Amino acid sequence: MSMAIDKSFPFLIILFISSIQSSCVKKDELLEDNKLQEYRFDQKSLELHVGNTIQITSKGKISEWKSSKKFVGTIEDDGTFTAHHIGKTKISAKINDKNHSLEIKVIPNITDIPEPVSFYGKTKNQITSLEKRKVLIDKNDVLSYDTNSDLIETMYYLFQGGKATYAVFKFKMLEKTNLDYLLKFYEERYEYLGLTK
């Protein structure tokens, strides 16, 4: 596959992570940001923003804390839960020697940047049926969409063997503050694996 790319614009490639799901919710449905709040274990679920920390308590004695997805959030021995990335995790513990669990949904702070549809392994026909944006390029191994975004110029889906393997964003020329904003967007959703050529 050959595709000319303007090197004056920054590009970021997203590798699909199956557990990622994002959603928009009303502000009054969320826990107050950046404040340690106490939350009772007798509830079944809750949601909070990436970066928030809460204290989980119970009427009984709690032991053996676990988080099913530490990428999403971690729990300390004292019941302090910290949300790291968007997704869902199940917090489990023994309360008075009985097993209990609590589902926590971690939601993003940044929701105004377009995201790809769930794409990894999907065919071009499946992507086009899910995408609602305007198609700009439709070639054998590339689909490109307009994003109507102040930050992103174009979005590409790249295909290998007829299956989608990457989503690529072409960002507009931005000032440093906007780049920091974009990095936060990625940090909320994806794990940093290091630099490559």
Side-chain angles (χ1 to χ4, degrees):
M1 176 182 77
S2 62
M3 192 168 90
I5 296 176
D6 185 346
K7 293 181 180 178
S8 65
F9 290 93
F11 277 82
L12 287 177
I13 296 176
I14 302 174
L15 297 177
F16 179 75
I17 299 173
S18 63
S19 65
I20 291 177
Q21 297 177 347
S22 65
S23 65
C24 296
V25 295
K26 295 177 182 176
K27 189 69 174 176
D28 58 5
E29 294 174 359
L30 304 176
L31 295 172
E32 186 178 345
D33 288 347
N34 303 319
K35 185 175 181 182
L36 184 64
Q37 295 199 8
E38 191 171 289
Y39 196 86
R40 297 298 299 234
F41 213 127
D42 53 5
Q43 305 271 340
K44 289 297 178 190
S45 65
L46 75 123
E47 56 186 34
L48 65 154
H49 284 114
V50 172
N52 278 8
T53 299
I54 58 170
Q55 183 76 43
I56 302 174
T57 64
S58 174
K59 294 176 184 176
K61 181 182 177 183
I62 306 180
S63 61
E64 297 183 27
W65 291 101
K66 290 182 184 175
S67 172
S68 64
K69 293 184 181 173
K70 293 181 181 179
F71 175 80
V72 175
T74 53
I75 187 90
E76 304 297 327
D77 290 340
D78 65 354
T80 302
F81 175 84
T82 303
H84 299 300
H85 299 93
I86 66 173
K88 291 180 182 178
T89 186
K90 184 181 283 187
I91 300 302
S92 59
K94 281 194 172 181
I95 303 176
N96 296 333
D97 296 323
K98 292 185 178 180
N99 293 323
H100 294 267
S101 64
L102 167 69
E103 183 180 82
I104 298 180
K105 182 179 182 181
V106 178
I107 60 176
N109 295 295
I110 298 175
T111 58
D112 62 342
I113 294 177
E115 296 193 55
V117 298
S118 179
F119 65 89
Y120 185 74
K122 289 197 167 33
T123 65
K124 189 179 284 190
N125 286 340
Q126 289 172 317
I127 296 287
T128 54
S129 69
L130 293 169
E131 268 290 357
K132 304 303 178 199
R133 293 169 269 219
K134 179 183 173 185
V135 177
L136 300 176
I137 298 171
D138 185 352
K139 295 185 178 177
N140 290 339
D141 49 8
V142 178
L143 271 175
S144 174
Y145 287 89
D146 186 7
T147 63
N148 294 322
S149 169
D150 293 335
L151 300 172
I152 298 174
E153 185 174 305
T154 314
M155 188 185 77
Y156 301 89
Y157 291 98
L158 305 181
F159 297 83
Q160 293 177 349
K163 304 287 185 180
T165 53
Y166 296 97
V168 180
F169 290 108
K170 181 178 181 182
F171 293 101
K172 297 177 182 178
M173 293 302 287
L174 305 168
E175 296 182 14
K176 184 181 184 307
T177 54
N178 286 338
L179 290 175
D180 291 340
Y181 187 75
L182 289 175
L183 288 174
K184 186 172 181 181
F185 168 83
Y186 281 97
E187 287 171 358
E188 287 186 342
R189 291 157 175 80
Y190 305 101
E191 183 178 7
Y192 176 71
L193 298 178
L195 298 174
T196 69
K197 292 181 181 179

